[in-house]
Amino acid sequence: MDKELNSLLESILLLLIQMLKGFIMGVWHGLRKALQNKWYLTGIGITLVFSVICITEKAMVCRMIPETIPEWLQQGIYLMLLAAPVIYLFLIGQTGQKNYDKCFEDIGFKGKNGKFPKYAGSSKEGKKILLFFQSTIPLSEWRSSRERLETALDCSIIKIENGRNKRTVKLTTLPSDYKIPTMVKWSEEYLNDKNGVLTLGISALDTISFNLNRVPHVLVAGETGSGKSVILRCLLWQMIEQGARVYMIDFKGGVEFGKQYEQYGEVITERERALQVLDLLVRENEYRLHVFRNLEVKNLDEYNKKTRQNLCRIGVFTDELAEMLDKKGVAKEEKQIYEQIEGKLSTLARLSRATGINLFMGVQRPDANVLTGQIKNNIPVRISGRFADKTASEIVLGNTDAVNLPDIKGRFLYKVGNETIEFQSFYFDDETMLHEVCVDQGEMLTEAPVYKVPEHKIPVRKNENKKAEVVRSGRKEKKVTAVKTSGEEKNSYEDPFVGMNSREIEEEMRRMDEEDLNLNFGDF
């Protein structure tokens, strides 16, 4: 008998605790709602006035309650008036809430213990609605049931992640009338006026864009037919219209970047020429870093503003990275050029963050043989199409979200930092969207160094090669000459750092700084 009584008391106590917990959670949800709605805040103000009157004019309030009502009920009414703000918050916290248990029950979404996820609150961030649930269901199961959950909750789920702990699930949602389009044609209206800002496509909320001054390199991955090459060509076109110099590396025989692109930049189809261009860009990058350091500027935009020059942005586009870097089955004598190309790409990925030399690399199936850790870790922008297996998604995005991407051509995931956003990429048609562009591409330091020392300060030297133009930069003489490569005239220059390791380069740069300092003091 005592055991049954204790059990009953425990049940009643647990019920009271749950009711109290539910009441407190209701008040909390009401408070969050009130902070987002001015009308709710007005209601809180009115109820607070009632509470103040009950405290200051208790006798008057008690006289207003009919005496025919039992005393205990009179006290109850008085306490309710006193607690009016809290009761009001609880009521508005309960209004407008869906019966989430019924929603989960309709699709049979429950844990192994047979319990449905328990609603734990919501909040609003602009157009986005955040829903929180307490659940023992693994996060992977929530993600795999995404479409069913969207149907049951009548919303579009942007992101599914853990909240404060492993048992809290946070859904970032949009109302069901916000949808990602399935086809968006590129239009000039999407072109950003700000140099280095490129637009990728349309999400459920807005256009997706990024700034190359902050995130300088881009990796686009996707299976055959996903639209990966279309994204690259659309980004390439935006770079062209913004006046950048572009190099297109296409080892598929120039199929992806056809002949019509040769009027905008060089299309490279030979590995030897690719190595020459990458070597030129590495030297250009070294020179830019040296000049930026001396002028105390942090990026290309700052340099152009400070010097009123037009140093060009450079884009290197590679449609299929595997064709360029995958050494499987390659003869030993040919592996050297593969390794050299990989080394140049790694150097640019690491060091060209500020100099305006940007890499855009496409890959069909990423793996360690194609996408080395050093290159991948220095590429902040990741764009991924749908993958059938989780490994490829993990390599590109660091998560398995690409597995659950809808099988829609042009549908991709965009990741910068910890945020992954689904979007529809622009459809770019070469036949109808390419046109003549009249822009000033700017200069490269390896071709025409910007700063020149006044003539009276430069010792006259004999020019052994009359075809070579001696250009003085104030640091060291550079020879700009036309050399023939692959049947075409290409610009090159005599690199002051050639053959040096990193320590020797630093010592040479320090010596050059000291020479400048001595020259400046000599002027006085």
Side-chain angles (χ1 to χ4, degrees), residues 251 271 318 320-331 334-339 341-342 345 362-372 375:
F251 290 160
R271 191 164 272 102
T318 305
E320 184 48 70
L321 200 62
E323 293 293 328
M324 187 163 61
L325 297 183
D326 194 355
K327 298 183 284 290
K328 285 183 180 178
V330 177
E334 295 181 10
K335 282 188 177 180
Q336 184 178 2
I337 192 169
Y338 283 79
E339 292 170 353
I341 289 174
E342 183 180 308
L345 283 174
V363 63
Q364 183 175 321
R365 171 138 186 108
D367 59 48
N369 295 318
V370 175
L371 194 62
T372 63
I375 294 176

Side-chain angles (χ1 to χ4, degrees), residues 53-92:
I53 292 173
C54 287
I55 295 171
T56 57
E57 303 291 340
K58 181 178 179 181
M60 183 188 73
V61 172
C62 290
R63 285 198 302 269
M64 292 174 63
I65 301 173
E67 296 182 357
T68 55
I69 297 176
E71 187 177 348
W72 63 269
L73 189 54
Q74 292 180 22
Q75 292 295 324
I77 293 172
Y78 174 78
L79 291 174
M80 286 178 65
L81 291 172
L82 187 63
V86 178
I87 296 172
Y88 175 75
L89 288 174
F90 174 77
L91 291 175
I92 64 173

Side-chain angles (χ1 to χ4, degrees), residues 25-74:
M25 290 298 293
V27 172
W28 170 244
H29 298 328
L31 181 60
R32 294 175 70 173
K33 277 188 177 182
L35 293 174
Q36 298 169 2
N37 190 310
K38 63 180 181 179
W39 298 110
Y40 288 157
L41 282 175
T42 303
I44 291 177
I46 294 171
T47 54
L48 280 172
V49 170
F50 287 157
S51 293
V52 172
I53 292 173
C54 287
I55 295 171
T56 57
E57 303 291 340
K58 181 178 179 181
M60 183 188 73
V61 172
C62 290
R63 285 198 302 269
M64 292 174 63
I65 301 173
E67 296 182 357
T68 55
I69 297 176
E71 187 177 348
W72 63 269
L73 189 54
Q74 292 180 22

Side-chain angles (χ1 to χ4, degrees), residues 218-234:
V218 180
L219 175 67
V220 184
E223 297 174 341
T224 303
S226 62
K228 164 177 57 69
S229 298
V230 178
I231 282 187
L232 285 172
R233 290 201 297 272
C234 187

Side-chain angles (χ1 to χ4, degrees), residues 386-398:
R386 186 176 183 274
F387 282 110
D389 64 290
K390 296 180 180 179
T391 305
S393 179
E394 284 281 359
I395 291 173
V396 179
L397 300 173

Side-chain angles (χ1 to χ4, degrees), residues 402-418:
V403 177
N404 301 318
L405 199 62
D407 190 11
I408 300 172
K409 191 168 184 177
R411 187 62 56 89
F412 284 85
L413 291 173
Y414 164 75
K415 183 178 181 183
V416 172
N418 295 322

Side-chain angles (χ1 to χ4, degrees), residues 143-178:
R143 288 173 174 164
S144 62
S145 303
R146 180 174 180 170
E147 290 185 5
R148 292 194 300 142
L149 290 168
E150 287 181 333
T151 303
L153 301 176
D154 190 26
C155 66
S156 297
I157 299 176
I158 300 173
K159 191 190 301 184
I160 303 174
E161 58 189 334
N162 283 122
R164 292 184 295 271
N165 53 58
K166 292 288 185 180
R167 289 199 171 193
T168 303
V169 176
K170 175 185 174 183
L171 304 184
T172 305
T173 70
L174 286 171
S176 55
D177 53 344
Y178 289 93

